[in-house]
Amino acid sequence: MAGVDGGPDIARPTLHRKMAAVLILLMLVVLGGVFFWFAGGPRYAVEEFLAGRLQQPVSLAANPGWHWGKRELRIVLPGLRLGPPDLPLFSAGRITVALPWRALLHGRVQLQRIELDTPVLDAPWNGAANASGAALSLPGRVVVRDGTLRWSGVAGHTLSLTAVHGQVLADGPSRLVGDWHWRDKTGRWHFAAGMTSAPTLQARRIALRVGTARDPALLQVSIPVLQSVSGELILPTMRARWQEQKQGSARLDVQALHLNMAQGRIAVQQGALTAGNDLALQVRAVALNWKKLQGHLAYQVAIRHLPRIAARCGLSLPKLTDPRALQRLTSTGAIRLDNPHFQWTVAQGDLDNSAWKGKISGTWKPLAIQLNLNVAQLNLGHYLPAPRPGKAVILPALPQQWPVTGEVRIAQLRWGKLNAQNVVIRSAASAVRP
């Protein structure tokens, strides 16, 4: 009976030892968690997670903050920097990410809302950002407060968008506003669109307005519908208008534009660009790959006051004998690229009432140009001083390695008192042939 009575006395110390072990283990877990937290463990874990997905170095200024709500989990990332430490590609004072519990309980990471405070993005960014593992869905709402975008290499200068505020919704109206700076000009810009995300990403009634204090409607862009299908942007129509008090107006109309930035491809069924009375350009059947420098297009162009247009673009043309020269240029033809080869076929052209047609082909690496042109009539007196009687004609000296071959056939040539017919100009002294 003593053994039976002593059973509980023997079991009680054993139970006490087990409870003590559990308590010690819990204390170790809590202490480990506290040590992990204050030692920056969550910060390093999030940095490694984002770096693996974005394939770029990621750093945080402090541990992330966690807010447990009834419907969502909010994560606050303070001082996020993406890219090299000395020159980050992206940074933000604070990023708040909202993840719905319903998706998390089913093993999905769904970005319900992203709030960006003082984000700064340096573009263009061609770095790898291919996420490994489960793909992240598009955020339902992106809020930007005091954002900055710097895009280098825009016509040789840096375009800066500052004080960016607004929101972009996956389904609903989106609006962004801010300031812009380019070269020595500055102004305001406004962007608005209606977004839908199902079954494909689509935007309707896209309107972009860019202005300055002098020209509030400097640039206006209207896109009725924009679709994103398999990484390709599709614009059935697009219209843009440029209106400046000093420079005049310009208009661009595009039909059936397909753009794939990742593959470097653009296709346009038809496009037209007009700039006042000086430029009228039409293109069709455009299919280009700018990464491979391959493609083709057909065109029709009419240019008036060529020296004036060149001056607007920052180009200086040589001084000609007749100041009225180069006032009218028209051309119709096609251009074909197949790196490093090019071919320019002119079906019909006219320069200062000199009709011409033919083909210009060759390579640009190394530079080698082959001419095969026919000119109906050419008056050199518009461009070069006429030769004086009794003196030899001295033409400008050509480079020792002249990259031009082929011939130009002129049916009628006039140069001061000189009149010639069926003139053939040949060039065969090329260092490199195409």
Coordinates of all heavy atoms in Angstrom, one line a residue, residues 300-389:
Q300 N 7.0 59.4 -96.0 CA 6.7 60.5 -96.9 C 7.0 61.8 -96.1 O 6.3 62.0 -95.1 CB 5.3 60.5 -97.5 CG 5.1 61.6 -98.5 CD 3.7 61.5 -99.1 OE1 3.0 60.5 -99.0 NE2 3.3 62.6 -99.8
V301 N 7.9 62.6 -96.5 CA 8.3 63.8 -95.7 C 8.3 65.0 -96.6 O 8.7 64.9 -97.8 CB 9.6 63.6 -95.0 CG1 10.8 63.4 -96.0 CG2 9.9 64.7 -94.1
A302 N 7.9 66.2 -96.1 CA 8.0 67.4 -96.7 C 8.6 68.4 -95.7 O 8.0 68.6 -94.6 CB 6.7 67.9 -97.3
I303 N 9.7 69.1 -96.0 CA 10.3 70.0 -95.1 C 10.5 71.4 -95.8 O 11.0 71.4 -96.9 CB 11.7 69.5 -94.6 CG1 11.6 68.1 -93.9 CG2 12.4 70.5 -93.7 CD1 12.9 67.5 -93.6
R304 N 10.1 72.4 -95.1 CA 10.4 73.8 -95.6 C 11.2 74.5 -94.6 O 11.2 74.2 -93.4 CB 9.0 74.5 -95.8 CG 8.1 73.9 -96.8 CD 6.9 74.7 -97.0 NE 7.2 76.1 -97.4 CZ 6.2 77.0 -97.5 NH1 5.0 76.8 -97.2 NH2 6.6 78.2 -98.0
H305 N 12.1 75.4 -95.1 CA 13.0 76.2 -94.2 C 13.9 75.3 -93.4 O 13.9 75.3 -92.2 CB 12.2 77.1 -93.3 CG 11.1 77.9 -94.0 ND1 9.8 77.8 -93.9 CD2 11.3 78.9 -95.0 CE1 9.1 78.6 -94.6 NE2 10.0 79.3 -95.3
L306 N 14.6 74.4 -94.1 CA 15.5 73.5 -93.4 C 16.5 74.1 -92.5 O 16.7 73.6 -91.4 CB 16.2 72.6 -94.5 CG 17.1 71.5 -93.9 CD1 16.2 70.5 -93.1 CD2 17.7 70.7 -95.1
P307 N 17.1 75.3 -92.9 CA 18.1 75.9 -91.9 C 17.4 76.3 -90.6 O 18.0 76.2 -89.6 CB 18.6 77.1 -92.7 CG 18.4 76.7 -94.2 CD 17.2 75.9 -94.2
R308 N 16.2 76.8 -90.7 CA 15.5 77.2 -89.5 C 15.2 76.0 -88.6 O 15.3 76.1 -87.3 CB 14.2 77.9 -89.8 CG 13.4 78.5 -88.6 CD 12.4 79.4 -89.1 NE 11.3 78.8 -89.9 CZ 10.3 79.5 -90.4 NH1 10.3 80.8 -90.4 NH2 9.4 78.9 -91.1
I309 N 14.8 74.9 -89.2 CA 14.5 73.7 -88.4 C 15.8 73.2 -87.7 O 15.8 72.7 -86.6 CB 13.8 72.6 -89.2 CG1 12.5 73.0 -89.7 CG2 13.8 71.3 -88.5 CD1 11.7 72.0 -90.5
A310 N 16.9 73.2 -88.5 CA 18.2 72.7 -88.0 C 18.6 73.6 -86.8 O 19.2 73.1 -85.8 CB 19.2 72.8 -89.1
A311 N 18.4 74.9 -86.9 CA 18.8 75.8 -85.8 C 17.9 75.5 -84.5 O 18.5 75.6 -83.4 CB 18.5 77.3 -86.2
R312 N 16.7 75.2 -84.7 CA 15.8 74.8 -83.5 C 16.4 73.5 -82.8 O 16.2 73.4 -81.6 CB 14.4 74.6 -84.0 CG 13.7 75.8 -84.4 CD 12.3 75.5 -84.8 NE 11.6 76.7 -85.3 CZ 10.3 76.7 -85.8 NH1 9.7 75.5 -85.9 NH2 9.7 77.8 -86.2
C313 N 16.9 72.6 -83.6 CA 17.5 71.4 -83.1 C 18.9 71.5 -82.6 O 19.6 70.5 -82.2 CB 17.4 70.3 -84.1 SG 15.7 69.9 -84.7
G314 N 19.5 72.8 -82.6 CA 20.8 73.0 -82.2 C 21.9 72.6 -83.2 O 23.1 72.5 -82.9
L315 N 21.5 72.5 -84.5 CA 22.4 72.2 -85.6 C 22.8 73.4 -86.4 O 21.9 74.3 -86.6 CB 21.9 71.1 -86.5 CG 21.5 69.8 -85.8 CD1 20.8 68.8 -86.8 CD2 22.6 69.1 -85.1
S316 N 24.0 73.5 -86.9 CA 24.4 74.6 -87.7 C 24.8 74.1 -89.1 O 25.6 73.2 -89.2 CB 25.6 75.3 -87.0 OG 26.7 74.5 -86.9
L317 N 24.2 74.6 -90.1 CA 24.5 74.3 -91.5 C 25.6 75.2 -92.1 O 25.7 76.4 -91.6 CB 23.2 74.3 -92.3 CG 22.1 73.4 -91.9 CD1 20.9 73.6 -92.8 CD2 22.6 71.9 -91.9
P318 N 26.4 74.7 -93.0 CA 27.4 75.6 -93.6 C 26.7 76.7 -94.4 O 25.6 76.6 -94.9 CB 28.1 74.6 -94.5 CG 27.2 73.5 -94.8 CD 26.4 73.3 -93.5
K319 N 27.5 77.8 -94.4 CA 27.0 79.0 -95.1 C 27.0 78.7 -96.6 O 28.0 78.3 -97.2 CB 27.9 80.2 -94.8 CG 27.3 81.5 -95.4 CD 28.2 82.7 -95.0 CE 27.6 84.0 -95.5 NZ 28.4 85.2 -95.1
L320 N 25.8 79.0 -97.3 CA 25.6 78.7 -98.7 C 25.6 80.0 -99.5 O 25.5 81.1 -99.0 CB 24.3 77.9 -98.9 CG 24.2 76.6 -98.1 CD1 22.8 76.0 -98.4 CD2 25.3 75.7 -98.5
T321 N 25.9 79.8 -100.8 CA 25.9 81.0 -101.7 C 24.6 81.7 -101.7 O 24.5 82.9 -101.6 CB 26.3 80.6 -103.1 OG1 27.6 79.9 -103.0 CG2 26.4 81.8 -104.0
D322 N 23.5 81.0 -101.9 CA 22.2 81.5 -101.9 C 21.5 81.3 -100.6 O 21.2 80.2 -100.2 CB 21.4 80.8 -103.0 CG 20.0 81.5 -103.3 OD1 19.6 82.4 -102.5 OD2 19.3 81.1 -104.3
P323 N 21.2 82.4 -99.9 CA 20.5 82.2 -98.6 C 19.1 81.6 -98.7 O 18.6 81.1 -97.7 CB 20.4 83.7 -98.0 CG 20.5 84.5 -99.2 CD 21.4 83.8 -100.2
R324 N 18.6 81.5 -99.9 CA 17.2 80.9 -100.1 C 17.4 79.4 -100.4 O 16.3 78.8 -100.6 CB 16.5 81.6 -101.2 CG 16.2 83.1 -101.0 CD 15.7 83.7 -102.2 NE 16.6 83.7 -103.3 CZ 16.4 84.2 -104.5 NH1 15.2 84.7 -104.8 NH2 17.4 84.1 -105.4
A325 N 18.6 78.9 -100.4 CA 18.8 77.4 -100.6 C 18.3 76.6 -99.4 O 18.1 77.1 -98.3 CB 20.2 77.1 -100.9
L326 N 18.0 75.4 -99.7 CA 17.6 74.4 -98.7 C 16.3 74.8 -98.1 O 16.0 74.6 -96.9 CB 18.6 74.2 -97.6 CG 20.0 73.6 -98.1 CD1 20.9 73.5 -96.9 CD2 19.9 72.3 -98.8
Q327 N 15.4 75.4 -98.9 CA 14.1 75.9 -98.3 C 13.0 74.9 -98.6 O 11.9 75.0 -98.0 CB 13.8 77.2 -99.0 CG 14.7 78.4 -98.6 CD 14.7 78.7 -97.1 OE1 13.7 78.9 -96.5 NE2 15.9 78.6 -96.5
R328 N 13.2 73.9 -99.4 CA 12.2 72.9 -99.7 C 12.8 71.6 -100.0 O 13.6 71.4 -100.9 CB 11.3 73.4 -100.9 CG 10.1 72.5 -101.2 CD 9.3 73.0 -102.3 NE 8.2 72.2 -102.6 CZ 8.2 71.2 -103.5 NH1 9.3 71.0 -104.2 NH2 7.1 70.5 -103.7
L329 N 12.4 70.6 -99.2 CA 12.9 69.2 -99.4 C 11.7 68.3 -99.2 O 10.9 68.3 -98.2 CB 13.9 68.9 -98.4 CG 14.3 67.4 -98.2 CD1 15.0 66.9 -99.5 CD2 15.2 67.2 -97.1
T330 N 11.5 67.4 -100.2 CA 10.4 66.4 -100.2 C 11.1 65.0 -100.5 O 12.0 65.0 -101.3 CB 9.3 66.7 -101.1 OG1 9.7 66.7 -102.5 CG2 8.6 68.0 -100.8
S331 N 10.5 64.0 -100.0 CA 11.0 62.7 -100.2 C 10.0 61.6 -99.9 O 9.3 61.8 -98.9 CB 12.3 62.4 -99.4 OG 12.8 61.1 -99.7
T332 N 9.9 60.6 -100.7 CA 9.1 59.4 -100.5 C 9.9 58.2 -100.7 O 10.6 58.1 -101.7 CB 7.9 59.4 -101.4 OG1 7.1 60.6 -101.2 CG2 7.0 58.2 -101.1
G333 N 9.8 57.2 -99.8 CA 10.6 56.0 -99.9 C 10.5 55.1 -98.7 O 9.5 55.1 -98.1
A334 N 11.6 54.3 -98.5 CA 11.6 53.3 -97.5 C 13.0 53.2 -96.9 O 14.0 53.4 -97.6 CB 11.1 52.0 -98.0
I335 N 13.0 52.8 -95.6 CA 14.3 52.6 -94.9 C 14.3 51.2 -94.3 O 13.3 50.8 -93.7 CB 14.5 53.6 -93.8 CG1 14.5 55.0 -94.4 CG2 15.7 53.4 -93.0 CD1 14.6 56.1 -93.4
R336 N 15.4 50.5 -94.5 CA 15.5 49.1 -93.9 C 16.8 49.0 -93.2 O 17.9 49.5 -93.7 CB 15.5 48.1 -95.0 CG 15.5 46.6 -94.5 CD 15.3 45.7 -95.7 NE 14.0 45.8 -96.2 CZ 12.9 45.2 -95.7 NH1 13.1 44.4 -94.6 NH2 11.7 45.3 -96.3
L337 N 16.8 48.5 -91.9 CA 17.9 48.3 -91.1 C 18.1 46.8 -90.8 O 17.2 46.1 -90.5 CB 17.8 49.1 -89.8 CG 17.5 50.6 -89.9 CD1 17.3 51.1 -88.5 CD2 18.6 51.3 -90.6
D338 N 19.4 46.4 -90.8 CA 19.8 45.0 -90.4 C 21.2 45.1 -90.0 O 22.1 44.9 -90.7 CB 19.6 44.1 -91.6 CG 19.8 42.6 -91.2 OD1 19.9 42.4 -89.9 OD2 19.8 41.7 -92.0
N339 N 21.4 45.4 -88.7 CA 22.7 45.8 -88.1 C 23.8 44.8 -88.6 O 23.7 43.6 -88.5 CB 22.5 45.6 -86.6 CG 23.7 46.2 -85.8 OD1 24.5 47.0 -86.4 ND2 23.9 45.7 -84.6
P340 N 24.9 45.4 -89.2 CA 25.2 46.9 -89.3 C 24.8 47.5 -90.6 O 25.3 48.6 -90.9 CB 26.7 46.9 -89.1 CG 27.2 45.7 -89.8 CD 26.1 44.6 -89.5
H341 N 24.0 46.8 -91.4 CA 23.6 47.3 -92.7 C 22.4 48.2 -92.7 O 21.6 48.1 -91.8 CB 23.4 46.1 -93.6 CG 24.5 45.2 -93.8 ND1 25.5 45.3 -94.7 CD2 24.8 44.0 -93.1 CE1 26.4 44.4 -94.6 NE2 26.0 43.6 -93.6
F342 N 22.4 49.1 -93.6 CA 21.2 50.0 -93.8 C 21.0 50.2 -95.3 O 21.9 50.1 -96.1 CB 21.4 51.4 -93.1 CG 22.5 52.2 -93.7 CD1 22.2 53.1 -94.8 CD2 23.8 52.2 -93.3 CE1 23.2 53.9 -95.3 CE2 24.8 52.9 -93.8 CZ 24.5 53.8 -94.9
Q343 N 19.7 50.5 -95.6 CA 19.4 50.8 -97.0 C 18.2 51.8 -97.1 O 17.2 51.6 -96.4 CB 18.9 49.5 -97.7 CG 18.5 49.7 -99.2 CD 18.2 48.3 -99.8 OE1 19.0 47.5 -100.0 NE2 16.9 48.2 -100.2
W344 N 18.5 52.9 -97.8 CA 17.5 54.0 -97.9 C 17.2 54.1 -99.4 O 18.0 54.4 -100.2 CB 18.1 55.3 -97.4 CG 17.3 56.5 -97.6 CD1 15.9 56.5 -97.8 CD2 17.7 57.8 -97.5 NE1 15.5 57.8 -97.9 CE2 16.5 58.6 -97.7 CE3 18.9 58.5 -97.2 CZ2 16.5 60.0 -97.7 CZ3 18.9 59.8 -97.2 CH2 17.8 60.6 -97.5
T345 N 15.9 53.7 -99.7 CA 15.5 53.8 -101.1 C 14.6 55.0 -101.2 O 13.6 55.1 -100.5 CB 14.7 52.5 -101.4 OG1 15.5 51.3 -101.2 CG2 14.2 52.5 -102.9
V346 N 14.9 55.8 -102.2 CA 14.1 57.1 -102.5 C 13.4 56.8 -103.8 O 14.0 56.8 -104.8 CB 15.1 58.3 -102.6 CG1 14.2 59.5 -102.8 CG2 15.9 58.5 -101.3
A347 N 12.1 56.7 -103.6 CA 11.2 56.6 -104.8 C 11.1 57.9 -105.6 O 11.0 57.9 -106.8 CB 9.9 56.0 -104.4
Q348 N 11.0 59.0 -104.8 CA 10.8 60.3 -105.4 C 11.3 61.3 -104.4 O 11.0 61.3 -103.2 CB 9.4 60.6 -105.8 CG 9.2 61.9 -106.5 CD 7.7 62.1 -106.8 OE1 6.9 61.3 -106.6 NE2 7.4 63.2 -107.5
G349 N 12.1 62.2 -104.8 CA 12.6 63.3 -104.0 C 12.8 64.6 -104.7 O 12.9 64.6 -106.0
D350 N 12.8 65.7 -104.0 CA 13.0 67.0 -104.6 C 13.7 67.9 -103.6 O 13.2 68.0 -102.4 CB 11.6 67.6 -105.0 CG 11.8 68.9 -105.8 OD1 11.8 69.9 -105.1 OD2 11.8 68.8 -107.0
L351 N 14.7 68.6 -104.0 CA 15.5 69.5 -103.2 C 15.7 70.8 -104.0 O 16.4 70.8 -105.0 CB 16.8 69.0 -102.7 CG 17.7 69.9 -102.0 CD1 17.1 70.3 -100.6 CD2 19.1 69.3 -101.7
D352 N 15.0 71.9 -103.6 CA 15.1 73.1 -104.3 C 14.8 73.0 -105.8 O 15.6 73.4 -106.6 CB 16.5 73.8 -104.1 CG 16.7 74.2 -102.6 OD1 15.7 74.4 -101.9 OD2 17.9 74.2 -102.2
N353 N 13.8 72.3 -106.1 CA 13.3 72.0 -107.5 C 14.3 71.1 -108.2 O 14.3 71.1 -109.5 CB 13.1 73.3 -108.2 CG 12.0 74.2 -107.6 OD1 11.0 73.7 -107.2 ND2 12.3 75.5 -107.5
S354 N 15.1 70.4 -107.5 CA 16.0 69.4 -108.2 C 15.4 68.0 -107.8 O 15.5 67.5 -106.7 CB 17.4 69.5 -107.7 OG 18.0 70.8 -108.1
A355 N 14.8 67.3 -108.8 CA 14.3 66.0 -108.6 C 15.4 65.0 -108.5 O 16.3 65.0 -109.3 CB 13.2 65.7 -109.7
W356 N 15.2 64.0 -107.6 CA 16.2 62.9 -107.5 C 15.6 61.7 -107.0 O 14.5 61.7 -106.3 CB 17.4 63.4 -106.6 CG 17.0 63.7 -105.2 CD1 16.2 64.8 -104.8 CD2 17.2 63.0 -104.0 NE1 16.0 64.8 -103.5 CE2 16.6 63.7 -103.0 CE3 17.9 61.8 -103.8 CZ2 16.7 63.2 -101.6 CZ3 18.0 61.4 -102.5 CH2 17.4 62.1 -101.4
K357 N 16.2 60.5 -107.3 CA 15.7 59.2 -106.8 C 16.9 58.3 -106.8 O 17.9 58.5 -107.5 CB 14.6 58.7 -107.6 CG 14.9 58.5 -109.1 CD 13.7 58.0 -109.8 CE 14.0 57.7 -111.3 NZ 12.8 57.2 -112.0
G358 N 16.7 57.1 -106.2 CA 17.8 56.2 -106.2 C 17.9 55.4 -104.8 O 16.9 55.3 -104.1
K359 N 19.1 55.0 -104.5 CA 19.3 54.2 -103.3 C 20.7 54.6 -102.6 O 21.7 54.8 -103.3 CB 19.4 52.7 -103.7 CG 19.5 51.8 -102.5 CD 19.6 50.3 -103.0 CE 18.3 49.9 -103.7 NZ 18.4 48.5 -104.1
I360 N 20.6 54.7 -101.3 CA 21.8 54.9 -100.5 C 21.9 53.7 -99.5 O 21.0 53.5 -98.7 CB 21.7 56.2 -99.7 CG1 21.5 57.4 -100.7 CG2 22.9 56.4 -98.9 CD1 21.3 58.7 -100.0
S361 N 23.0 53.0 -99.6 CA 23.1 51.8 -98.7 C 24.5 51.7 -98.2 O 25.4 52.5 -98.5 CB 22.8 50.5 -99.5 OG 23.6 50.4 -100.6
G362 N 24.7 50.7 -97.3 CA 26.0 50.5 -96.7 C 26.0 50.0 -95.3 O 25.0 49.3 -94.9
T363 N 27.0 50.3 -94.5 CA 27.1 49.9 -93.1 C 27.5 51.1 -92.3 O 28.1 52.1 -92.8 CB 28.1 48.8 -92.9 OG1 29.4 49.3 -93.3 CG2 27.8 47.6 -93.8
W364 N 27.2 51.1 -91.0 CA 27.7 52.2 -90.1 C 28.8 51.7 -89.2 O 29.4 52.5 -88.5 CB 26.6 52.8 -89.3 CG 25.8 51.8 -88.5 CD1 26.1 51.2 -87.3 CD2 24.5 51.3 -88.8 NE1 25.1 50.3 -86.9 CE2 24.1 50.4 -87.8 CE3 23.6 51.5 -89.8 CZ2 22.9 49.7 -87.8 CZ3 22.4 50.9 -89.8 CH2 22.0 50.0 -88.8
K365 N 29.1 50.4 -89.2 CA 30.3 49.9 -88.4 C 30.9 48.8 -89.2 O 30.4 47.6 -89.2 CB 29.8 49.3 -87.1 CG 29.9 50.3 -85.9 CD 29.7 49.6 -84.6 CE 29.6 50.6 -83.5 NZ 29.4 50.0 -82.2
P366 N 32.0 49.1 -90.0 CA 32.6 50.4 -90.2 C 31.7 51.3 -91.1 O 30.9 50.7 -91.9 CB 33.9 50.1 -90.8 CG 33.7 48.8 -91.6 CD 32.7 48.0 -90.7
L367 N 31.9 52.6 -91.1 CA 31.2 53.5 -91.9 C 31.5 53.3 -93.4 O 32.7 53.5 -93.8 CB 31.4 54.9 -91.5 CG 30.6 56.0 -92.3 CD1 29.1 55.7 -92.1 CD2 30.9 57.4 -91.9
A368 N 30.6 52.9 -94.2 CA 30.8 52.7 -95.6 C 29.5 53.0 -96.3 O 28.5 52.3 -96.0 CB 31.3 51.3 -95.9
I369 N 29.4 54.0 -97.2 CA 28.2 54.4 -97.9 C 28.3 54.2 -99.4 O 29.3 54.6 -100.0 CB 27.9 55.9 -97.6 CG1 27.8 56.1 -96.1 CG2 26.7 56.4 -98.3 CD1 27.7 57.6 -95.7
Q370 N 27.3 53.6 -100.0 CA 27.3 53.4 -101.4 C 26.1 54.2 -102.0 O 25.0 54.0 -101.5 CB 27.1 51.9 -101.7 CG 26.9 51.6 -103.2 CD 28.0 50.7 -103.8 OE1 28.6 49.9 -103.1 NE2 28.3 50.9 -105.1
L371 N 26.4 55.0 -103.0 CA 25.4 55.8 -103.7 C 25.1 55.3 -105.0 O 25.9 54.8 -105.8 CB 25.9 57.3 -103.8 CG 26.4 58.0 -102.6 CD1 26.9 59.4 -102.9 CD2 25.2 58.1 -101.6
N372 N 23.8 55.4 -105.3 CA 23.3 55.1 -106.7 C 22.1 56.0 -106.9 O 20.9 55.6 -106.7 CB 22.9 53.6 -106.8 CG 22.5 53.2 -108.2 OD1 22.6 54.0 -109.1 ND2 22.1 52.0 -108.3
L373 N 22.4 57.2 -107.3 CA 21.4 58.2 -107.4 C 21.3 58.8 -108.8 O 22.2 58.9 -109.6 CB 21.7 59.4 -106.4 CG 21.8 59.0 -105.0 CD1 22.2 60.3 -104.2 CD2 20.5 58.4 -104.4
N374 N 20.0 59.2 -109.2 CA 19.8 59.9 -110.4 C 19.1 61.3 -110.1 O 18.1 61.3 -109.4 CB 18.8 59.1 -111.3 CG 19.4 57.8 -111.8 OD1 20.3 57.8 -112.6 ND2 19.0 56.7 -111.2
V375 N 19.7 62.3 -110.7 CA 19.3 63.7 -110.4 C 18.9 64.3 -111.8 O 19.6 64.2 -112.8 CB 20.3 64.6 -109.8 CG1 19.8 66.0 -109.5 CG2 20.8 63.9 -108.5
A376 N 17.6 64.8 -111.9 CA 17.2 65.4 -113.1 C 17.9 66.6 -113.5 O 18.4 66.8 -114.6 CB 15.7 65.6 -113.1
Q377 N 18.0 67.6 -112.6 CA 18.7 68.8 -112.8 C 19.2 69.3 -111.5 O 18.6 69.2 -110.4 CB 17.9 69.8 -113.5 CG 16.6 70.2 -112.7 CD 15.8 71.3 -113.4 OE1 16.0 71.6 -114.6 NE2 14.8 71.8 -112.7
L378 N 20.4 69.9 -111.5 CA 21.1 70.4 -110.3 C 21.7 71.7 -110.6 O 22.5 71.8 -111.5 CB 22.1 69.4 -109.8 CG 22.9 69.8 -108.5 CD1 21.9 70.1 -107.3 CD2 23.9 68.8 -108.2
N379 N 21.4 72.7 -109.8 CA 22.1 74.1 -109.9 C 23.0 74.2 -108.7 O 22.5 74.6 -107.6 CB 21.0 75.2 -109.9 CG 21.6 76.5 -110.3 OD1 22.8 76.7 -110.3 ND2 20.8 77.5 -110.5
L380 N 24.3 74.0 -108.9 CA 25.3 74.1 -107.8 C 25.5 75.6 -107.4 O 26.0 75.8 -106.3 CB 26.6 73.5 -108.3 CG 26.7 72.0 -108.3 CD1 28.1 71.6 -108.8 CD2 26.4 71.5 -106.9
G381 N 25.0 76.5 -108.2 CA 25.1 77.9 -107.8 C 24.4 78.3 -106.6 O 24.7 79.3 -106.0
H382 N 23.4 77.5 -106.2 CA 22.7 77.7 -105.0 C 23.5 77.5 -103.7 O 23.3 78.0 -102.7 CB 21.4 76.9 -104.9 CG 20.3 77.3 -105.8 ND1 19.9 78.5 -106.0 CD2 19.6 76.5 -106.8 CE1 18.9 78.6 -106.9 NE2 18.8 77.4 -107.4
Y383 N 24.6 76.6 -103.9 CA 25.3 76.1 -102.7 C 26.8 76.5 -102.7 O 27.3 76.8 -101.7 CB 25.2 74.6 -102.7 CG 23.8 74.1 -102.9 CD1 23.4 73.5 -104.1 CD2 22.8 74.3 -102.0 CE1 22.1 73.1 -104.4 CE2 21.5 73.8 -102.2 CZ 21.1 73.2 -103.4 OH 19.9 72.8 -103.7
L384 N 27.4 76.6 -103.9 CA 28.8 76.9 -104.0 C 29.1 78.1 -104.9 O 28.3 78.3 -105.9 CB 29.6 75.7 -104.6 CG 29.6 74.4 -103.7 CD1 30.3 73.3 -104.5 CD2 30.2 74.6 -102.4
P385 N 30.1 78.9 -104.6 CA 30.4 80.0 -105.5 C 30.7 79.5 -106.9 O 31.3 78.5 -107.1 CB 31.6 80.7 -104.9 CG 31.6 80.2 -103.4 CD 31.0 78.8 -103.5
A386 N 30.2 80.3 -107.9 CA 30.4 79.9 -109.3 C 31.8 80.1 -109.7 O 32.5 81.0 -109.2 CB 29.5 80.8 -110.2
P387 N 32.4 79.2 -110.5 CA 33.8 79.3 -111.0 C 34.0 80.6 -111.8 O 33.1 81.0 -112.6 CB 34.0 78.0 -111.8 CG 32.7 77.6 -112.2 CD 31.7 78.1 -111.1
R388 N 35.2 81.2 -111.6 CA 35.5 82.4 -112.4 C 36.2 82.0 -113.7 O 36.9 81.1 -113.8 CB 36.4 83.3 -111.6 CG 35.8 83.9 -110.3 CD 36.7 84.7 -109.6 NE 36.1 85.2 -108.3 CZ 36.8 86.0 -107.5 NH1 38.0 86.4 -107.7 NH2 36.1 86.5 -106.4
P389 N 35.9 82.8 -114.8 CA 36.5 82.4 -116.1 C 38.0 82.5 -116.0 O 38.6 83.4 -115.4 CB 36.0 83.5 -117.0 CG 34.7 84.0 -116.3 CD 35.0 83.9 -114.9

